[in-house]
């Protein structure tokens, strides 16, 4: 079947399509976490002592002793087998944004040839996948490419059901034999602990006596697009890269804003219900869902959880979302910019830190004392965004997110922090020395009373800021929809740890000099704002004035592409930050640079090859066959003495030639191999290959508007976005 027939047939099929039948929604209480081996299930299955030990591990991250591990493993196996499970898998998170798993059976045979099941503590705690095919950057040299996985007991095991049966999944860390982190989980755990150490120091200096372990929390809002599979299957670009490499804009796009928060289409609604029921069974607290700005775009936001669990759940959510979409006849693309000219998808990462004794430290609280704590922690974030803004840019740097950042729909590639008018004024007053400290040294009123009555107004938010305070948390909006939230969380926790360490040092000195506590806090914050207040910005982040002022007046960096952003991993300040906090050794950090750079280059390489392929084998043949049709018509008309206007024919011929000339240039560029280093290669991708791909596309998209609709081989934007 030729491409255009597939396309026309797809329209026909979709028009008559009914929602996939699913089970009636069940009561939440009936299905919630039914597939999760959580604390509640452990309590039912374990002795009092064993439960006490595992609970302590889960809640504080202390090591699990081997006796308890054996008991937990046996209980976990029995529970899973009781639910029809035959296999288990350590699930882990390599440095790419994917999730990896290796399945093993519980089965072993005994001497009589009978089959029995076995699952010991050591199998639970340690598995040995052959890590050789996972990208591990320079770590490849140091560990002979093998790695092992170990259960992270702070993240519960669960059962994953697929068409082919059920598997017990064990969330795990992945490391080399020499102890280097090969994954995204270990750094996150380490960053939490660095943040906890630093926060403990500050809180002790503030006179807190009982201080529970601090943890970071994360609530991630996930945007995504659904495209009917009949269209997607006819779009090799969507299938292979998650985005359209060609496609003229639809006459109607998102200009009416009529999709946003509009009624959810019936088929999508059925998909969402099915998807969310699966999430509930897996103990993932899906909370809100709605249409997004672009047609065909939607959002799901689970309720926030401990960052480590939230990160695992986020990965699981992406997997379940894609497979459920498939079941409902959709391709779910998490690409940051599937359609040119239409809003892209992000993943807002809401983040806060707190514990059970002091609560959320990014919540202003209701007493002057908790307000001082809040001012310090929030100040620490301001310093972090200023000092490590380029790092925050680097951790969201991917080939796909580059299409979104900096365009007028997503946060700019300049990192600043939005506080809201009221809070911004408090910090400005502190910086200007306007918050007077009273002579007697008692709690000052001016300023602090302002925050006491701090109003949380989520409606009054600056959507143009990449990093915004939203009342009791910060929202990092530059994160891409396809990304793991781990990298951003690691950066945020670590920059916070660094800032809290800085604050602790200054505070300690001020207190040792005899300053009263509130006086000491204000003086530290004054210094902090003088050094780092430039990152605070409440205006329009999309505006041209800001792009100019940020760089020229405030000294902030505008980092447009991944090629510019990734080398930030080589900055001495970044190497020191991670080394000092124990989050990444220099060699671990370097391996991240290598893996991310390789991913960037590979992504663009695949896209470039596909652009060349589609232009040559789909668009060119369509254009020339239409040209030949026009030519034949023209000459048969001429035989009748009728002169047909040839301007359309000429335009098509010209565009076709120009497109193929650009394809030839692109092919030459793809073939280039000699690069001084990875950085030079990345810049070549950004500055030569991508523009050439854009040129090919420009001509192809023009042709789309000239060639007869019935011949066009690729489903069009208006079809993919509007036919559901
Ligand atoms: P909006 O779309 O207005 O930004 P949503 O309600 O869709 O907000 O999403 C906000 C996200 O922030 C949710 O995942 C929510 O659970 C999460 N969140 C709320 N409070 C906190 C907090 N203290 N720390 C981290 N995340 C939080
Ligand atoms: Mg949000």
């Amino acid at each position: 079947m030729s491409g255009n027939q597939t396309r026309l047939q797809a329209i026909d099929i979709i028009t008559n399509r009914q929602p996939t039948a699913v089970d009636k929604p069940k009561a939440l209480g009936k299905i919630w976490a039914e597939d999760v081996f959580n604390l509640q299930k452990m309590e039912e299955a374990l002795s009092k002592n064993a439960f006490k030990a595992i609970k302590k591990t889960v809640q504080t991250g202390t090591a699990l002793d081997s006796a308890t591990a054996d008991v937990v493993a046996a209980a976990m196996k029995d529970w899973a087998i009781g639910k029809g499970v035959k296999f288990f898998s350590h699930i882990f998170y390599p440095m790419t944004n994917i999730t990896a798993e290796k399945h093993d059976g519980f089965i072993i045979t005994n001497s009589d040839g009978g089959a029995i099941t076995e699952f010991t503590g050591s199998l639970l705690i340690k598995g040995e996948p052959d890590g050789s095919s996972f990208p591990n950057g320079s770590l490849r040299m140091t560990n002979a490419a093998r790695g092992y996985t170990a259960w992270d007991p702070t993240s519960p095991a669960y059962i994953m059901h697929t068409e082919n049966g059920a598997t017990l999944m064990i969330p795990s860390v992945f490391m080399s034999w020499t102890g280097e982190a090969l994954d995204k989980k270990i750094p996150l755990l380490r960053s939490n602990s660095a943040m906890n150490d630093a926060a403990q120091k500050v809180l002790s200096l503030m006179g807190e006596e009982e201080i529970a372990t601090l943890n970071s929390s994360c609530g991630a809002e996930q945007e995504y697009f659904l495209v009917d599979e009949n269209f997607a299957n006819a779009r090799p670009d969507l299938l292979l890269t998650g985005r359209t490499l060609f496609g003229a804009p639809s006459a109607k796009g998102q200009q009416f804003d009529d999709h946003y928060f509009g009624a959810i289409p019936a088929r999508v609604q059925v998909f969402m219900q099915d998807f969310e029921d699966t999430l509930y069974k897996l103990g993932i607290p899906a909370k809100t869902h709605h249409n997004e700005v672009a047609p065909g775009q939607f959002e799901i936001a689970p309720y926030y959880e401990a960052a480590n669990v939230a990160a695992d759940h986020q990965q699981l959510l992406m997997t379940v979302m894609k497979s459920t979409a498939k079941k409902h006849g959709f391709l779910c693309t998490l690409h940051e910019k599937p359609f040119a000219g239409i809003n892209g998808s992000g993943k807002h990462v809401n983040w806060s830190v707190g514990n059970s004794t002091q609560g959320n430290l990014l919540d202003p609280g209701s007493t002057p004392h908790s307000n001082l704590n809040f001012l310090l922690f929030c100040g620490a974030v301001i310093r972090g965004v200023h000092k490590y803004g380029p790092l925050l840019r680097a951790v969201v740097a991917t080939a796909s997110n580059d299409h979104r950042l900096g365009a007028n729909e997503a946060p700019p590639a300049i990192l600043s922090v939005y506080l809201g008018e009221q809070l911004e004024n408090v910090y400005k007053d502190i910086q200007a020395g306007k918050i007077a400290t009273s002579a007697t040294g008692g709690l000052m009123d001016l300023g602090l009373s302002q925050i006491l009555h701090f109003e949380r107004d989520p409606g009054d938010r600056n959507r143009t800021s990449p990093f915004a305070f939203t009342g009791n948390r910060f929202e990092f909006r530059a994160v891409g929809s396809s990304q793991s939230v781990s990298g951003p969380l690691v950066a945020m926790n670590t920059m916070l740890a660094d800032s809290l360490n800085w604050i602790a040092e200054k505070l300690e000195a001020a207190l040792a000099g005899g300053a009263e506590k509130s006086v000491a806090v204000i003086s530290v914050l004054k210094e902090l704002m003088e050094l780092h207040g430039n990152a605070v910005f409440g205006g329009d982040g999309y505006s041209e004035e800001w792009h100019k002022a940020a760089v020229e007046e405030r000294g902030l960096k505008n980092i447009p592409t991944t090629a510019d952003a990734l080398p930030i991993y080589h900055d001495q300040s970044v190497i020191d930050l991670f080394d000092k906090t124990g989050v990444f050794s220099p060699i671990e950090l370097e391996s991240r640079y290598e893996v991310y750079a390789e991913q960037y280059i590979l992504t663009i390489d695949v896209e470039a090859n596909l652009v060349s392929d589609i232009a040559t084998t789909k668009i060119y043949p369509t254009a020339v066959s239409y040209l030949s049709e026009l030519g034949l018509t023209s000459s048969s008309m001429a035989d009748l003495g009728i002169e047909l206007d040839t301007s359309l024919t000429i335009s098509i011929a010209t565009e076709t030639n120009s497109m193929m000339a650009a394809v030839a240039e692109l092919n030459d560029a793809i073939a280039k191999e000699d690069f001084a280093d990875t950085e030079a290669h990345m810049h070549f991708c950004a500055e030569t290959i991508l523009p050439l791909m854009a040129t090919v596309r420009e001509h192809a998209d023009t042709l789309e508007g000239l060639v007869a609709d019935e011949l066009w081989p690729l489903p069009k934007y208006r079809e993919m976005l509007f036919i559901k």
Side-chain angles (χ1 to χ4, degrees):
M1 186 165 33
S2 76
N4 59 317
Q5 278 169 308
T6 317
R7 179 181 147 235
L8 300 176
Q9 205 180 58
I11 298 175
D12 209 45
I13 295 173
I14 299 162
T15 313
N16 298 309
R17 202 159 183 168
Q18 293 302 316
T20 307
V22 289
D23 297 344
K24 271 223 179 81
K26 296 200 184 72
L28 182 59
K30 283 223 166 77
I31 54 173
W32 174 250
E34 73 173 27
D35 288 330
V36 188
F37 195 60
N38 53 16
L39 277 177
Q40 197 189 338
K41 303 221 174 60
M42 290 191 219
E43 186 163 24
E44 285 162 18
L46 298 173
S47 72
K48 265 215 167 69
N49 277 342
F51 179 67
K52 233 174 99 182
I54 183 76
K55 190 173 169 191
K56 185 158 175 245
T57 297
V58 170
Q59 289 177 345
T60 64
T62 49
L64 194 62
D65 65 273
S66 62
T68 311
D70 273 335
V71 181
V72 173
M76 198 187 274
K77 183 200 76 177
D78 289 344
W79 170 77
I81 286 180
K83 291 174 80 77
V85 172
K86 294 190 191 70
F87 286 82
F88 68 92
S89 170
H90 283 251
I91 179 157
F92 55 101
Y93 314 91
M95 290 184 223
T96 50
N97 288 319
I98 58 154
T99 306
E101 41 192 86
K102 183 189 178 217
H103 296 212
D104 273 303
F106 287 123
I107 186 171
I108 55 169
T109 52
N110 59 19
S111 51
D112 307 329
I116 55 169
T117 58
E118 186 186 73
F119 191 53
T120 59
S122 60
L123 280 175
L124 171 63
I125 296 188
K126 227 176 248 191
E128 286 178 39
D130 178 3
S132 55
S133 52
F134 293 105
N136 52 16
S138 47
L139 295 175
R140 208 172 273 139
M141 268 86 78
T142 59
N143 67 75
R146 284 186 75 85
Y148 69 86
T149 55
W151 181 37
D152 161 22
T154 61
S155 189
Y158 56 91
I159 294 171
M160 188 74 167
H161 296 276
T162 62
E163 302 266 295
N164 305 320
T167 306
L168 173 68
M169 306 300 264
I170 302 164
S172 300
V173 296
F174 180 43
M175 66 185 108
S176 72
W177 288 108
T178 42
E180 275 110 3
L182 295 173
D183 71 347
K184 287 189 174 270
K185 186 188 257 294
I186 296 173
L188 180 52
L189 296 171
R190 288 181 187 158
S191 73
N192 259 328
S193 119
M195 182 278 294
N196 172 51
D197 292 347
Q200 296 273 345
K201 278 190 249 169
V202 171
L203 291 173
S204 309
L205 288 167
M206 290 301 289
E208 300 285 349
E209 277 163 9
E210 204 191 325
I211 312 168
T213 311
L214 286 103
N215 203 348
S216 53
S217 297
C218 163
E221 301 159 58
Q222 172 79 53
E223 293 176 335
Y224 60 98
F225 276 85
L226 293 177
V227 178
D228 189 281
E229 65 183 0
N230 289 285
F231 288 138
N233 289 340
R235 295 277 327 204
D237 46 358
L238 257 186
L239 279 184
L240 265 59
T241 71
R243 76 169 174 124
T244 52
L245 298 167
F246 296 95
S250 161
K252 181 181 172 201
Q254 62 189 42
Q255 57 275 70
F256 296 106
D257 271 341
D258 49 358
H259 182 69
Y260 197 37
F261 287 112
I264 297 170
R267 262 179 76 207
V268 176
Q269 206 153 34
V270 176
F271 150 77
M272 283 179 173
Q273 180 231 308
D274 196 10
F275 170 41
E276 282 157 13
D277 274 2
T278 309
L279 294 181
Y280 289 147
K281 288 178 193 161
L282 291 165
I284 301 178
K287 190 155 165 64
T288 52
H289 64 219
H290 55 79
N291 289 356
E292 261 304 324
V293 178
Q297 190 188 28
F298 307 91
E299 176 182 302
I300 175 158
Y303 196 67
Y304 70 103
E305 300 177 278
N308 173 34
V309 176
D312 288 0
H313 279 171
Q314 236 291 305
Q315 293 298 111
L316 184 52
L317 178 145
M318 291 194 283
T319 308
V320 172
M321 174 146 59
K322 285 186 181 165
S323 60
T324 313
K326 201 163 179 204
K327 180 170 145 196
H328 290 265
F330 291 115
L331 170 85
C332 166
T333 175
L334 300 179
H335 193 285
E336 283 76 1
K337 193 80 178 173
F339 300 96
I342 301 270
N343 265 27
S345 299
K347 178 141 54 196
H348 293 175
V349 174
N350 293 269
W351 164 78
S352 62
V353 299
N355 63 7
S356 56
T357 42
Q358 278 70 39
N360 176 0
L361 285 146
L362 292 175
D363 193 320
S366 53
T367 65
H369 181 75
S370 59
N371 264 312
L372 283 180
N373 285 346
F374 163 73
L375 282 181
L376 284 174
F377 276 73
C378 186
V381 175
I382 296 172
R383 177 181 177 275
V385 175
H386 185 247
K387 191 150 193 258
Y388 301 108
L391 171 66
L392 290 173
R393 173 64 183 91
V395 297
V396 298
T398 60
S400 48
N401 209 16
D402 278 1
H403 294 289
R404 170 181 162 261
L405 291 181
N408 252 10
E409 51 161 299
I414 305 167
L415 257 296
S416 63
V417 52
Y418 169 82
L419 297 176
E421 199 181 315
Q422 201 178 7
L423 192 57
E424 183 174 332
N425 285 337
V426 172
Y427 280 100
K428 274 194 180 146
D429 286 351
I430 292 176
Q431 182 173 352
K434 279 200 214 150
I435 294 198
T437 48
S438 69
T440 54
L443 282 170
M444 310 144 301
D445 194 40
L446 186 70
L448 289 183
S449 66
Q450 282 176 33
I451 339 169
L452 264 183
H453 304 292
F454 188 81
E455 275 166 42
R456 288 174 209 123
D457 183 4
D460 176 35
R461 283 202 246 154
N462 186 328
R463 300 231 158 238
T464 68
S465 172
F467 208 96
F469 182 68
T470 56
N472 62 355
R473 61 187 185 267
F474 279 90
E475 184 172 20
F476 188 14
R477 305 217 180 94
V479 183
S481 49
S482 66
Q483 265 193 281
S484 154
V485 294
S486 256
L489 288 168
V490 167
M492 290 191 280
N493 285 338
T494 312
M495 76 181 194
L496 184 64
D498 181 69
S499 291
L500 290 171
N501 281 329
W502 182 88
I503 286 174
E505 211 173 282
K506 299 278 170 188
L507 201 55
E508 192 168 17
L511 292 170
E516 193 271 339
K517 203 187 324 162
S518 55
V519 176
V521 168
I522 297 301
S523 73
V524 170
L525 287 174
K526 184 170 189 302
E527 185 180 348
L528 185 148
M529 284 303 291
E530 281 161 1
L531 291 169
H532 304 290
N534 268 354
V536 177
F537 177 63
D540 179 1
Y542 294 172
S543 70
E544 249 170 63
E545 299 86 78
W546 169 240
H547 280 76
K548 212 165 128 60
V551 177
E552 289 171 13
E553 288 157 34
R554 303 222 193 180
L556 303 178
K557 287 210 170 97
N558 185 359
I559 306 169
T561 74
T562 297
D564 304 304
L566 289 181
I568 287 156
Y569 285 107
H570 291 148
D571 277 10
Q572 198 55 45
S573 66
V574 170
I575 298 173
D576 290 346
L577 167 74
F578 285 122
D579 200 21
K580 267 196 308 203
T581 47
V583 174
F584 287 120
S585 67
I587 181 173
E588 285 175 327
L589 190 63
E590 177 59 18
S591 72
R592 267 71 195 169
Y593 168 76
E594 286 175 27
V595 170
Y596 303 153
E598 188 180 29
Q599 294 276 309
Y600 176 72
I601 292 166
L602 280 177
T603 305
I604 293 177
D605 189 54
V606 168
E607 288 186 351
N609 277 296
L610 206 52
V611 163
S612 166
D613 180 315
I614 293 175
T616 311
T617 66
K618 281 188 181 287
I619 297 171
Y620 180 75
T622 306
V624 292
S625 80
Y626 189 46
L627 275 178
S628 118
E629 206 176 294
L630 289 176
L632 284 175
T633 311
S634 206
S635 55
S636 54
M637 286 291 126
D639 290 347
L640 299 174
I642 303 170
E643 192 79 21
L644 265 191
D645 178 10
T646 54
S647 58
L648 178 65
T649 314
I650 292 169
S651 298
I652 294 175
T654 313
E655 287 299 333
T656 306
N657 286 336
S658 306
M659 180 182 79
M660 291 317 287
V663 167
E665 256 188 275
L666 178 62
N667 288 342
D668 286 346
I670 294 172
K672 184 174 156 64
E673 272 173 358
D674 49 327
F675 298 101
D677 55 20
T678 312
E679 202 176 324
H681 196 169
M682 283 198 289
H683 279 289
F684 184 75
C685 290
E687 285 134 35
T688 303
I689 303 225
L690 282 175
L692 281 171
M693 286 162 57
T695 309
V696 175
R697 177 181 186 151
E698 222 179 281
H699 296 299
D701 290 358
T702 306
L703 284 171
E704 187 182 325
L706 301 176
V707 171
D709 180 68
E710 58 166 28
L711 297 180
W712 197 251
L714 299 168
K716 297 187 169 182
Y717 269 30
R718 60 167 186 258
E719 295 157 358
M720 291 186 284
L721 292 170
F722 291 100
I723 305 181
K724 284 264 142 32

